[in-house]
Amino acid sequence: PQAASGEQSAANLFRIERVSDGVYAAIARPAPMLNCNAAVIVTADHVLVVDTHSKPSAASALINQIRREVSDRPVRYVINSHFHWDHAQGNLAYPKAFGESTEVISSTSTREWMAREGASRLRQSLAALPKRIADLRTQLAAAKIDGERARLTEQIGQLEAYLKEMNPPEKQITLPTITFNERLVIHRGGREIHLIFLGRGHTAGDVVVYIPSERTVATGDLMHSLLPYMGDGYPEDWPRTLVALEALDFTHVVAGHGLVQQGKSILAFFRAYIEEINEGVARGVERGSTLEEMRRTLAPDGLRSLKMGDQMTRLAREGQGFAGVPLAGAQLQGAVAANVTDVYNYYTKRRGKS
Ligand SMILES: [Zn+2]
């Protein structure tokens, strides 16, 4: 059967689960325009939300779901863990729903990046959509199986809705209203919520949101359950920043993508993986290896970090929940190759400048 409407049912974007006392995770379901997870923190008199997804309508859907499933207290603070589109493009929904005094908080660097790059990156991504939609229409015309036709129709509808919602790009980017450099602490009802910049990693300005009393941390994309995106990253600093994260006393993690984590074993893997890719590429560049050679030597089969515990099995499963495809085989190969390429560009571009 064909999907009745192109718009993915707004009630179906997130699954909310309780993480610790007053802390919830909104885990994003797979979507053609990716949504990040949100952490939802309820205090004595208000709600605080970490990250706002790819579009205001996704954030609005979460606002409604929070009211239904978590709390009817108003959202007073919104935090952007970093500047990426899938974490900050929904900001606008919060002042719209709760008034102009709703504060959006980020690191100083995140606000600068958002101001400089937000609208232009969004414009670029919108410009690429008509071709992606046309390709899906070609696939749809050739598709024979009902399920496949329904899936493609749904994807096309969602991409068209996104294109419509996000135009014009300048109007959609809502910058943070409060910024800080190192640490900002919100004190409410005897509980502290720490917003901490631990150092550069996934971007120049990642912050983690740490609730010491609940031993819970929201990590954005500084550390999550899949493989990292390294295109705006600082691979030399990132492992050190993750050591600083590991030093915090926590047992529950709401990450920017993937399932809620218990303990620090995924963090240990994530750091080992970034370290291994960084060291492998840095050494290769030093020796004058080509990118193609490095993509061969640093393929999944040769990586020590991927052999830690049952990480391969876990990644395959997490990929299924995140994108609807297991992160294994060609998918895993592609993800690792993208990381190698991004780190290679980091070193060669930086060299070009010096
Ligand atoms: Zn990101």
Side-chain angles (χ1 to χ4, degrees), residues 14 32 34 62 71 151 171 173 198 316 352:
F14 304 98
L34 177 68
L62 180 63
S71 170
R151 190 182 63 80
K171 288 246 165 79
I173 303 299
L198 293 165

Side-chain angles (χ1 to χ4, degrees), residues 82 84 86-87 202-203 221 229 257:
H82 62 294
H84 281 156
D86 56 321
H87 296 256
H202 175 66
T203 67
D221 289 357
Y229 169 70
H257 302 284

Side-chain angles (χ1 to χ4, degrees), residues 39-317:
V40 179
I41 304 164
V42 183
T43 75
D45 49 4
H46 66 254
V47 175
L48 185 150
V49 177
V50 184
D51 284 341
T52 67
H53 326 295
S54 60
K55 51 187 179 180
S57 64
S60 295
L62 180 63
I63 289 169
N64 290 331
Q65 199 175 347
I66 290 171
R67 281 177 177 143
R68 277 198 315 273
E69 298 179 24
V70 178
S71 170
D72 56 6
R73 289 167 207 165
V75 175
R76 171 124 181 241
Y77 298 110
V78 173
I79 294 153
N80 290 140
S81 64
H82 62 294
F83 77 94
H84 281 156
W85 65 281
D86 56 321
H87 296 256
Q89 278 182 185
N91 283 358
L92 186 57
Y94 286 93
K96 240 185 192 164
F98 300 101
E100 291 301 321
S101 62
T102 312
E103 307 288 3
V104 180
I105 311 176
S106 78
S107 66
T108 308
S109 159
T110 287
R111 191 182 192 281
E112 285 168 4
W113 275 83
M114 225 185 279
R116 199 170 55 227
E117 299 270 325
S120 64
R121 286 195 184 194
L122 174 56
R123 195 174 308 113
Q124 273 175 32
S125 87
L126 294 178
L129 276 186
K131 170 152 191 336
R132 191 169 155 199
I133 292 169
D135 290 347
L136 288 170
R137 285 200 187 288
T138 308
Q139 286 180 43
L140 177 61
K144 298 253 157 37
I145 305 161
D146 271 359
E148 181 68 1
R149 294 186 56 83
R151 190 182 63 80
L152 289 165
T153 304
E154 174 67 23
Q155 279 190 9
I156 291 166
Q158 283 189 48
L159 293 179
E160 283 175 336
Y162 181 81
L163 200 52
K164 205 166 142 206
E165 179 178 353
M166 299 313 282
N167 258 311
E170 309 71 40
K171 288 246 165 79
Q172 299 303 326
I173 303 299
T174 303
L175 296 176
T177 52
I178 295 179
T179 59
F180 67 98
N181 288 330
E182 300 283 327
R183 186 185 293 247
L184 183 137
V185 184
I186 297 172
H187 301 259
R188 276 292 184 289
R191 193 161 69 163
E192 295 179 0
I193 301 165
H194 292 235
L195 282 53
I196 317 171
F197 172 71
L198 293 165
R200 297 190 299 190
H202 175 66
T203 67
D206 308 279
V207 301
V208 301
V209 179
Y210 175 48
I211 307 113
S213 60
E214 312 313 326
R215 306 183 77 208
T216 302
V217 66
T219 55
D221 289 357
L222 183 65
M223 195 277 293
H224 59 59
S225 320
L226 294 127
L227 289 186
Y229 169 70
M230 302 182 81
D232 291 311
Y234 294 82
E236 288 174 290
D237 303 27
W238 201 338
R240 205 181 320 130
T241 305
L242 291 173
V243 169
L245 173 62
E246 203 164 3
L248 299 178
D249 178 24
F250 63 84
T251 47
H252 315 283
V253 182
V254 182
H257 302 284
L259 300 176
V260 171
Q261 303 171 25
Q262 306 297 338
K264 295 180 175 175
S265 64
I266 295 177
L267 167 57
F269 157 73
F270 201 79
R271 176 159 67 85
Y273 172 81
I274 290 169
E275 237 160 24
E276 189 171 19
I277 298 288
N278 178 52
E279 281 165 15
V281 174
R283 222 178 302 122
V285 169
E286 210 56 57
R287 279 203 221 100
S289 307
T290 65
L291 176 58
E292 283 62 39
E293 285 165 346
M294 283 184 245
R295 284 167 69 136
R296 269 198 304 278
T297 51
L298 296 168
D301 284 348
L303 294 178
R304 284 186 322 274
S305 55
L306 283 171
K307 297 189 175 72
M308 289 169 70
D310 61 349
Q311 293 303 328
M312 293 274 246
T313 318
R314 187 188 61 77
L315 284 172
R317 204 173 46 230

